[in-house]
Amino acid sequence: MNTDRRRNNAPPGGTSAPVFARTIREPGYLQSLRPRRSRGPNELRRIFLQPSIIPSASGSAYLEIPTSSTPSTSTLVPPTSSLKITASVQGPKPLPRSAPFSPSLLLTTTVKFAPFATRNRRGYIRDTTERDLGVHLETALRGVIIGERWPKSGVEVVVTILEGDEDGWWGDSASEGSANGSGWGLLNVLAGCITVASAAITDAGIDCVDVITGGVAAITRNPDSRDQKDLARLLDPCPAEHKEIVAACAVAYLASRDEITEIWMKGDIGADPDALIEGATHAAVGSLAVVKDVLLEALQAKFQGQLEVKESGVKRKAGDVDMTG
């Protein structure tokens, strides 16, 4: 229960999109709405990345991964959710005088879901899931920033999840009468947080050893096959498109150094976990190409704007000299 008295608290129960009676009465029709993966096993979803979206922050970025499933015209409920995340960086700034001396930069990460980010409305106060994501993000970024260049300084990375990947398809929870709490969507959320936070840190001009990106790979079971060993490895999985996910892995990967700064594995990995980790690194490398292109375009635009301002100042100064002469 939310105890924040400064706000008008939302109803204690969860809110969800309306589901028509026909969907509940006809199981066959309900299963016909299940989204299917139309991408190849090694094909990633499209990524939209925009840096410098918050003028008051030292650096910021916005990441969006749209849904790959086509919406159905017979229902208002979207087949899958998209991933929308913003990140802002405050600092580096000096620590208070009362703080003990720190030879390197102190990093603080905060991950927060917006109240409307998931189907079940979330509270305004951070819960254990958001704290765990913040710890994973801090561990991933700590091995990237060159903290020795800012002694007795601190930087704060705030990540807000506007829309998160679901843990499963909404039709399964509607037919079973309970929410799907498997937590598979959190791995995609963590990978997105790592990528957008890295872009925001680069936009803030903080020195790093490399641009870090997140990637996810999963092992799924074919529901149409009777063989329990009929498994497939997929990159960038969407939990709503797969009825049964056996295992998944999210990594924070430095491509140029070939290093993994954070790893989160979930499920029955099996006897060969290296193959799943390798798939997650391939997904991270695919995201890196987009991040580098976007940051390079933003940097060129920034330098071009500074050059135009400098040239206009020189022309104005030359005009003033001619008038006085």
Side-chain angles (χ1 to χ4, degrees):
M1 182 177 179
N2 192 354
T3 59
D4 192 353
R5 298 182 178 180
R6 295 174 296 179
R7 309 177 192 270
N8 293 326
N9 297 333
T15 59
S16 60
V19 179
F20 296 105
R22 178 185 174 187
T23 304
I24 303 299
R25 294 177 182 176
E26 299 180 11
Y29 171 73
L30 181 64
Q31 292 299 323
S32 66
L33 299 177
R34 176 182 292 275
R36 298 289 182 179
R37 182 184 175 108
S38 57
R39 299 174 286 130
N42 297 329
E43 185 179 355
L44 307 179
R45 289 177 289 182
R46 296 176 299 171
I47 297 177
F48 174 80
L49 182 65
Q50 179 66 45
S52 303
I53 63 169
I54 303 177
S56 60
S58 302
S60 59
Y62 170 75
L63 173 71
E64 179 176 350
I65 301 180
T67 176
S68 58
S69 301
T70 57
S72 176
T73 57
S74 58
T75 177
L76 296 179
V77 184
T80 59
S81 62
S82 58
L83 188 63
K84 301 176 182 178
I85 307 175
T86 62
S88 63
V89 177
Q90 302 291 340
K93 52 187 177 182
L95 295 177
R97 293 188 176 183
S98 59
F101 177 77
S102 176
S104 61
L105 184 68
L106 292 181
L107 174 65
T108 304
T109 59
T110 303
V111 178
K112 186 70 181 72
F113 279 90
F116 50 83
T118 56
R119 291 188 184 275
N120 295 328
R121 186 176 178 86
R122 307 184 73 97
Y124 292 98
I125 302 176
R126 295 177 65 201
D127 55 14
T128 56
T129 300
E130 295 164 335
R131 294 191 182 95
D132 291 343
L133 289 175
V135 172
H136 283 292
L137 180 60
E138 182 178 352
T139 305
L141 299 179
R142 192 177 297 277
V144 181
I145 299 176
I146 305 177
E148 292 77 9
R149 299 187 179 180
W150 290 278
K152 202 177 181 181
S153 300
V155 63
E156 183 179 5
V157 180
V158 180
V159 177
T160 304
I161 303 169
L162 303 178
E163 185 176 354
D165 245 348
E166 299 176 4
D167 295 334
W169 182 49
W170 64 268
D172 292 334
S173 58
S175 59
E176 296 172 1
S178 60
N180 191 348
S182 55
W184 299 114
L186 293 178
L187 280 79
N188 288 335
V189 171
L190 176 61
C193 291
I194 294 171
T195 303
V196 71
S198 176
I201 290 175
T202 306
D203 183 59
I206 301 176
D207 294 339
C208 300
V209 296
D210 191 11
V211 177
I212 189 170
T213 54
V216 181
I219 299 176
T220 61
R221 180 176 285 114
N222 186 5
D224 300 331
S225 177
R226 297 182 179 180
D227 187 4
Q228 295 295 326
K229 297 183 180 180
D230 187 7
L231 304 177
R233 192 187 69 183
L234 307 172
L235 304 185
D236 189 20
C238 182
E241 296 176 349
H242 306 285
K243 188 173 184 179
E244 185 176 359
I245 298 179
V246 179
C249 174
V251 299
Y253 185 61
L254 297 171
S256 63
R257 300 169 65 95
D258 194 20
E259 294 180 4
I260 294 177
T261 60
E262 178 63 7
I263 183 172
W264 185 11
M265 305 184 75
K266 183 180 178 67
D268 186 8
I269 306 300
D272 189 14
D274 294 339
L276 190 61
I277 297 175
E278 183 180 359
T281 58
H282 289 334
V285 171
S287 302
L288 178 62
V290 179
V291 174
K292 283 187 174 181
D293 291 342
V294 171
L295 294 178
L296 182 59
E297 292 178 2
L299 186 63
Q300 292 175 349
K302 183 181 297 184
F303 278 116
Q304 183 66 24
Q306 294 178 356
L307 183 61
E308 292 177 357
V309 171
K310 185 176 180 180
E311 290 178 352
S312 62
V314 172
K315 292 180 180 179
R316 191 182 306 111
K317 185 176 181 180
D320 296 341
V321 173
D322 293 339
M323 291 177 63
T324 56

